[in-house]
Amino acid sequence: MIERTQTHPFPERPGSRPGGAAPVSRPSRVLAALEVPALLAVPAAMVALAALGVSAAAGLTLAVALLALALLLASFEASRPALRQLMPTAVLAAVAAAGRVLFSPLPDVKPVSAIAIVAGAALGRRSGFVVGAMAALTSNLFFGQGPWTPWQMYAWGLVGYVGGLLAEHGALRRPAVLYGWGLVSGIVYGLVLNGYYVLGYVQPLTWPAVLAACAASLPLDVTHGLATCAFLAAIWLPWGRAIRRVVAKYEL
């Protein structure tokens, strides 16, 4: 048992609901069932509208992304998290936003993805999504808000959500999966932002132009993923032990 605690800071969890929480309401169940389809609808809309050559693809995909954000945030709210659940989520989001600002001199070296993954593993996939999304929104008070903000919120929220899903199935107990998702998360984030860029600013929109844009950003995206792995290596165990104590003390 001691060895297991040292190697993996988060106990295996069957779901994202805190132990001993109130029964899940029907609206909460419906919203929970729509979470994954909503998240998948965003890249599906990007690919479909680009393939069809729809002129309003940028606006339509932005609307889909905003709806996905609204649904995931509504699902978090509908789960009726107690104040003791909200506090660590808000603190992790604030730390992630502050970390992004602190590392602003280093392009694509940001702790946001790592902290979102830790939040998803410790507090559940919805909290992981909220930490990633809110970190993007609040840190852009420093970097500047714009049409890119919903895409950053979606992308970093997705990173935390998937981290929570992997943790619920015990996959993050394996270092290969933990650091593999850390690396891939940088590429996923880059693909989402590349999609926003090519749909909104690349004219005429052709597949060679899309591939060229993705190839140009690939070194930056890989750097982002490697930085996420480095941050995970630094915070996974110590932060995990600290959050585990909070989770146990307040029965989250």
Side-chain angles (χ1 to χ4, degrees):
M1 179 63 69
I2 295 178
E3 180 180 358
R4 178 177 178 181
T5 299
Q6 291 175 340
T7 56
H8 185 80
F10 305 118
E12 186 171 355
R13 294 143 40 88
S16 62
R17 292 286 304 173
V24 181
S25 64
R26 183 176 180 181
S28 181
R29 291 196 300 268
V30 172
L31 289 170
L34 292 174
E35 289 173 0
V36 173
L39 291 172
L40 294 177
V42 178
M46 284 181 162
V47 173
L49 293 174
L52 294 173
V54 177
S55 58
L60 292 173
T61 52
L62 177 60
V64 175
L66 289 171
L67 288 173
L69 285 170
L71 188 145
L72 265 294
L73 294 175
S75 182
F76 178 78
E77 175 65 23
S79 67
R80 293 180 293 178
L83 180 61
R84 61 180 184 265
Q85 175 89 6
L86 291 173
M87 287 302 295
T89 301
V91 169
L92 288 173
V95 171
R100 184 186 178 203
V101 174
L102 179 65
F103 283 90
S104 59
L106 302 175
D108 295 285
V109 178
K110 313 297 178 195
V112 179
S113 294
I115 295 174
I117 292 170
V118 170
L123 302 171
R125 59 186 186 269
R126 297 187 189 100
S127 290
F129 184 91
V130 170
V131 167
M134 292 298 102
L137 179 64
T138 55
S139 61
N140 276 357
L141 296 174
F142 175 86
F143 292 103
Q145 305 286 359
W148 53 84
T149 298
W151 294 108
Q152 292 174 324
M153 293 175 65
Y154 167 81
W156 266 320
L158 178 65
V159 169
Y161 190 92
V162 173
L165 280 179
L166 292 173
E168 287 174 16
H169 292 85
L172 294 187
R173 295 178 179 277
R174 297 191 290 273
V177 177
L178 173 65
Y179 295 111
W181 175 235
L183 177 61
V184 172
S185 69
I187 298 173
V188 169
Y189 177 90
L191 286 174
V192 172
L193 272 293
N194 286 337
Y196 145 73
Y197 169 75
V198 298
L199 289 175
Y201 299 101
V202 174
Q203 297 295 334
L205 183 59
T206 62
W207 287 114
V210 172
L211 294 176
C214 292
S217 72
L218 184 60
L220 300 176
D221 299 336
V222 171
T223 300
H224 185 179
L226 292 173
T228 299
C229 291
F231 283 116
L232 282 172
I235 71 175
W236 181 252
L237 287 178
W239 286 33
R241 285 192 291 266
I243 297 174
R244 187 184 67 245
R245 287 195 293 268
V246 173
V247 169
K249 180 177 180 180
Y250 295 105
E251 299 181 353
L252 299 184

